[in-house]
Amino acid sequence: MAKNNQEFVTQIASRSEDFPQWYTDVIKKTDMVDYSDVKGFMVIKPYGYGVWELMQSEMDARFKATGHKNAYFPLLIPESLLIKEAEHVEGFAPEVAWVTHGGSEELPERLCIRPTSETIICSMYSKWIQSYRDLPLLINQWANVVRWEKSTRPFLRTSEFLWQEGHTAHATFEDAQEETIRMLEVYREFSENVLAIPVVVGRKSEKEKFAGAYATYTMEAMMQDGKALQMGTSHNLSDHFARAYDITYLSKEGKLEYCYTTSWGTSTRMIGGIIMVHGDDRGLVLPPKAAPVQAVVLPIAMHKEGVREKAGELFDMLKKAGIRAELDDGDQSAGWKFNQWEMKGVPLRIEVGPKDIEKNQAVLVRRDNLEKLFVPMDGIAGTVEELLKDIHVGLYKKALAMRESKTVEASDFEEFSQGVKNGFVKAMWCGERECETSIKEKTGATTRCIPFEQRHITDKCVHCGKEAKHMVFFARAY
Amino acid sequence: MAKNNQEFVTQIASRSEDFPQWYTDVIKKTDMVDYSDVKGFMVIKPYGYGVWELMQSEMDARFKATGHKNAYFPLLIPESLLIKEAEHVEGFAPEVAWVTHGGSEELPERLCIRPTSETIICSMYSKWIQSYRDLPLLINQWANVVRWEKSTRPFLRTSEFLWQEGHTAHATFEDAQEETIRMLEVYREFSENVLAIPVVVGRKSEKEKFAGAYATYTMEAMMQDGKALQMGTSHNLSDHFARAYDITYLSKEGKLEYCYTTSWGTSTRMIGGIIMVHGDDRGLVLPPKAAPVQAVVLPIAMHKEGVREKAGELFDMLKKAGIRAELDDGDQSAGWKFNQWEMKGVPLRIEVGPKDIEKNQAVLVRRDNLEKLFVPMDGIAGTVEELLKDIHVGLYKKALAMRESKTVEASDFEEFSQGVKNGFVKAMWCGERECETSIKEKTGATTRCIPFEQRHITDKCVHCGKEAKHMVFFARAY
């Protein structure tokens, strides 16, 4: 068994030696995704899609609880509509796919596949919103989007991805700002309480903000290789899109006013975050709330009397308690199965063998720390539920400690340059775009966010020495 | 109030005078859908999307219960991949949208937006399936598809629509056939038990079958205007796609064999069916299981003491019981609200006024038959639940009676020609494609399905007089 184990583990690269290869190995070995015949497009296989379904269901409930409803808007956007908001089209035109023919006929106007839906949604809001009574308008869309990419990696950057995009319209700038921050907070709470991923929240720099936004807010997570991942963004679009797409309303006072809009999005990219935050050299480690299988029941020495039956009973008990359990009574060796389910990151493995049956117990093995627990059969579903909660907390704490260990404060550019090789650097910054560009050229690091929680480190910009405006999180990023 | 009522009702066409206009009025007035800036593409507004979400959730549970898992495949398909199955490409090529540019660059090969995903999915199955142990492979996808249409109607025929497509692979033809029929049966049960729409199930003719299929099975419903609607199809693809895309497996005996595949789909088109089967001259009538709002609570004489509070209490009770309730305490008149919620097809309206509070009762009005019921407050949630079930049964029976009244048997072509003006005609048919084409040219009617439940009417084909092969349901269709 030890031998099998070893063999299996060496099938994937180690994180410390080759992190990108480890990532690729994990997503392939766990059957989360596959590469397709279309360059840059991924196939999300059932195991990966199962994670996304759980994330969707958790997020969707949060969107509905905050008053949003789902709707669906067209996949294709006429070029004339896309180009109405100048900054927006400048940002997105280089990466859209163009449809030029329908059947055998050339189209009178080419249509792009949505890279995001502000333009088409705003054109509808312009029709739907007449009076202050129609506000706020709170809509979310679950959809696929296409952004043409030259260099792709499954989940992290692909030419097509799945996401949700919230689009809301409000009477005032303040209402829009409140919504922008509310949804960022929904994202943060989701990331921490469902994915067990701690995030830094704050504002993007002018350079890094969404094309067409007044301000972009973001949540940023730290991966085990010291690179940051943007996990979700929320944009206050002010009246930029309302002016471009003529979204106006008649106020209570009978005055025609422009609306203020927001948009906010998260995507299948977050699955890449789960892998890179929690995974280890045995493979994936899934947070229990996003795990398609939370506990796998393995009968040990299946040929022995009563083993299959007991394992089946246990499986039924878990299912009945609402735990996403699976029973693996396949004919592979126990060692092979251990490795398989560890690779797939299932939070709990539950073994039932003849000796366990004698003692009326089961053996539970936690995926997060490989701890082995002997648990009485009576009330075992409750124990499993508690352990799943415990694993969530453990994963969160471990991820937080990892991030802390990869976060430094820099008061000079030498410290800064060393720091960004390893993770987040908190440093003071002047706020100038040229300085930001120069930092990126020299170190590969970008401003990840201007955190809400500010701290004064020095008076001067860590790079150019001019007067500092903010404390910023810098990092190399995906 | 009577006046308001009248005003409102006349805002939509009557079904008997202008059914197409009535349909258009209903979908607009109920805020189910809107037309977009992209010709032929619809926007599904929150109320329409809410219906789709309920349908998705009901269907998804059924797919999972029959062992299927969800996955996601690329939106775009290379032309070289699409053309591998000859009949398939012949059927779909005239209606696909072509992507020719990514960003500013022309693509080396043009890509079509999936009109359906057999080709891309089969190309993946060819990689994934190696041995008999990998079979059956049971996958479903929830997705958008594009089929270029010249003449469109929201839900019924649009250039983009939302759907699910199941794609499965099996070891034998018999296994594939069993799956094809199993999923048709899942569809039938869903249509009848969730949508309250009775359907005729059977096989499509060779002319009407899916491009590339060995056999297509269908469920067909009758609309109030006497036209049939295909509500869902299930295809046995035999080894056609397996041969074109090289899907093989090593059998237990160590022999390389072709797989047998199936596909099956239903779409947002079914929402059109709900509207046209159940709606009336007051607007939409939603079956309770597909109604985003199952019961609306209306406080009457809201200024009177205790009315708002009582209505609020009632609303809370319903929500607590898991009923999708809404409280309408807006400042519009009661008459306006009655019309509004009737238009939206909400199954139950619950009125609470000062007199009702005195009597510790509420007034329930059923949308299906407008029956008014005085119901004690105590245990009202249970009463509502029972009534919702009752409404479902009532709608189903009414729809079945409507279909029966629009179904005739024809033993000669005169009867046939009269019959298809009004609905389904059951008649004997020779099975020849030329005869089928000729019938369509003369009457506008097509073969809708060769029902599983056969009945011998005459010996000869109702049209050409040759020897009859089957009893067939004919109708004009959407």
Side-chain angles (χ1 to χ4, degrees), chain B residues 159-182:
Chain B
S159 288
E160 180 188 18
F161 54 90
L162 302 182
W163 80 340
Q164 61 68 215
E165 47 182 326
H167 294 271
T168 69
H170 307 265
T172 66
F173 178 87
E174 290 70 29
D175 289 353
Q177 178 66 12
E178 202 179 288
E179 167 80 3
T180 307
I181 301 302
R182 179 185 303 118

Coordinates of all heavy atoms in Angstrom, one line a residue, chain B residues 159-182:
Chain B
S159 N -33.1 33.3 -32.4 CA -31.7 33.0 -32.9 C -30.8 32.5 -31.8 O -29.9 31.7 -32.0 CB -31.1 34.2 -33.6 OG -31.8 34.4 -34.8
E160 N -31.1 32.8 -30.5 CA -30.4 32.3 -29.4 C -31.5 31.7 -28.4 O -32.5 32.4 -28.2 CB -29.6 33.3 -28.6 CG -28.8 32.7 -27.4 CD -28.1 33.8 -26.6 OE1 -28.5 35.0 -26.7 OE2 -27.2 33.4 -25.8
F161 N -31.2 30.6 -27.8 CA -32.1 30.2 -26.7 C -31.3 29.4 -25.7 O -30.2 29.0 -25.9 CB -33.3 29.4 -27.3 CG -33.0 28.2 -28.1 CD1 -32.8 26.9 -27.5 CD2 -32.9 28.3 -29.5 CE1 -32.5 25.8 -28.3 CE2 -32.6 27.2 -30.3 CZ -32.4 25.9 -29.7
L162 N -31.9 29.2 -24.5 CA -31.3 28.5 -23.4 C -31.9 27.1 -23.4 O -33.1 26.9 -23.7 CB -31.6 29.2 -22.1 CG -31.1 30.6 -22.0 CD1 -31.4 31.2 -20.6 CD2 -29.6 30.7 -22.3
W163 N -31.1 26.1 -23.1 CA -31.6 24.8 -23.1 C -30.7 23.9 -22.3 O -29.7 24.3 -21.7 CB -31.7 24.2 -24.5 CG -30.5 23.7 -25.2 CD1 -29.2 24.0 -24.9 CD2 -30.4 22.8 -26.3 NE1 -28.3 23.4 -25.7 CE2 -29.0 22.6 -26.6 CE3 -31.4 22.2 -27.1 CZ2 -28.6 21.8 -27.7 CZ3 -30.9 21.4 -28.1 CH2 -29.6 21.2 -28.4
Q164 N -31.1 22.6 -22.2 CA -30.2 21.6 -21.7 C -30.0 20.6 -22.8 O -31.0 20.3 -23.5 CB -30.7 21.0 -20.4 CG -32.0 20.3 -20.4 CD -32.2 19.0 -21.1 OE1 -33.2 18.8 -21.7 NE2 -31.1 18.2 -21.1
E165 N -28.9 20.0 -22.8 CA -28.6 18.9 -23.8 C -27.9 17.8 -23.1 O -26.8 18.0 -22.6 CB -27.8 19.4 -25.0 CG -26.6 20.3 -24.7 CD -25.9 20.8 -26.0 OE1 -25.9 20.1 -27.0 OE2 -25.3 21.9 -25.9
G166 N -28.6 16.6 -23.1 CA -27.9 15.5 -22.5 C -27.2 14.7 -23.6 O -27.6 14.7 -24.7
H167 N -26.0 14.2 -23.3 CA -25.2 13.5 -24.2 C -24.6 12.2 -23.5 O -23.9 12.4 -22.6 CB -24.1 14.3 -24.8 CG -24.6 15.5 -25.6 ND1 -24.8 15.4 -26.9 CD2 -24.9 16.7 -25.2 CE1 -25.2 16.6 -27.4 NE2 -25.3 17.4 -26.4
T168 N -25.0 11.1 -24.0 CA -24.6 9.9 -23.3 C -24.0 8.9 -24.3 O -24.3 8.9 -25.5 CB -25.8 9.2 -22.6 OG1 -26.7 8.7 -23.6 CG2 -26.5 10.2 -21.7
A169 N -23.1 8.0 -23.7 CA -22.5 7.0 -24.6 C -22.6 5.7 -23.9 O -22.6 5.6 -22.6 CB -21.0 7.3 -24.7
H170 N -22.9 4.6 -24.7 CA -23.2 3.3 -24.2 C -22.5 2.2 -24.9 O -22.0 2.5 -26.1 CB -24.7 3.1 -24.3 CG -25.5 4.2 -23.6 ND1 -26.0 4.1 -22.4 CD2 -25.9 5.4 -24.1 CE1 -26.7 5.2 -22.1 NE2 -26.6 6.0 -23.1
A171 N -22.5 1.0 -24.3 CA -21.8 -0.1 -25.0 C -22.6 -0.7 -26.1 O -22.0 -1.2 -27.1 CB -21.5 -1.2 -23.9
T172 N -23.9 -0.7 -26.0 CA -24.7 -1.3 -27.1 C -25.8 -0.4 -27.6 O -26.2 0.5 -26.9 CB -25.3 -2.6 -26.5 OG1 -26.3 -2.2 -25.5 CG2 -24.3 -3.6 -25.9
F173 N -26.3 -0.8 -28.7 CA -27.5 -0.1 -29.3 C -28.7 -0.2 -28.3 O -29.4 0.8 -28.1 CB -27.9 -0.8 -30.6 CG -29.1 -0.1 -31.3 CD1 -28.9 1.0 -32.1 CD2 -30.4 -0.7 -31.0 CE1 -30.1 1.5 -32.7 CE2 -31.5 -0.1 -31.6 CZ -31.3 1.0 -32.4
E174 N -28.8 -1.3 -27.7 CA -30.0 -1.5 -26.8 C -29.9 -0.6 -25.6 O -30.9 0.0 -25.2 CB -30.1 -3.0 -26.3 CG -30.5 -4.0 -27.4 CD -29.4 -4.2 -28.4 OE1 -28.2 -4.1 -28.1 OE2 -29.7 -4.5 -29.6
D175 N -28.7 -0.4 -25.0 CA -28.5 0.5 -23.9 C -28.8 1.9 -24.3 O -29.4 2.7 -23.6 CB -27.0 0.4 -23.4 CG -26.7 -0.9 -22.7 OD1 -27.6 -1.7 -22.5 OD2 -25.5 -1.1 -22.4
A176 N -28.4 2.3 -25.5 CA -28.6 3.6 -26.0 C -30.1 3.8 -26.2 O -30.7 4.9 -25.8 CB -27.9 3.9 -27.3
Q177 N -30.8 2.8 -26.7 CA -32.2 2.9 -26.9 C -33.0 3.1 -25.6 O -33.9 3.9 -25.4 CB -32.7 1.7 -27.7 CG -34.2 1.6 -27.9 CD -34.7 2.7 -28.9 OE1 -33.9 3.4 -29.5 NE2 -36.0 2.9 -28.9
E178 N -32.5 2.3 -24.6 CA -33.1 2.3 -23.3 C -33.0 3.7 -22.7 O -33.9 4.3 -22.1 CB -32.4 1.3 -22.4 CG -33.2 0.9 -21.2 CD -32.4 -0.2 -20.4 OE1 -32.3 -1.3 -20.8 OE2 -31.9 0.2 -19.3
E179 N -31.8 4.3 -22.8 CA -31.5 5.7 -22.3 C -32.4 6.7 -23.1 O -33.0 7.6 -22.4 CB -30.1 6.0 -22.5 CG -29.7 7.5 -22.3 CD -29.6 7.9 -20.9 OE1 -29.7 7.1 -20.0 OE2 -29.4 9.2 -20.6
T180 N -32.5 6.6 -24.4 CA -33.3 7.5 -25.2 C -34.8 7.5 -24.7 O -35.4 8.6 -24.5 CB -33.3 7.0 -26.7 OG1 -32.0 6.9 -27.1 CG2 -34.0 8.1 -27.5
I181 N -35.3 6.3 -24.4 CA -36.7 6.2 -24.0 C -36.8 6.7 -22.5 O -37.8 7.3 -22.1 CB -37.2 4.8 -24.2 CG1 -37.1 4.4 -25.7 CG2 -38.7 4.7 -23.7 CD1 -37.9 5.3 -26.6
R182 N -35.8 6.3 -21.7 CA -35.9 6.8 -20.3 C -36.0 8.3 -20.2 O -36.8 8.8 -19.4 CB -34.6 6.3 -19.6 CG -34.5 6.7 -18.1 CD -33.2 6.3 -17.5 NE -33.0 4.9 -17.6 CZ -31.9 4.4 -18.2 NH1 -31.0 5.1 -18.8 NH2 -31.8 3.1 -18.3

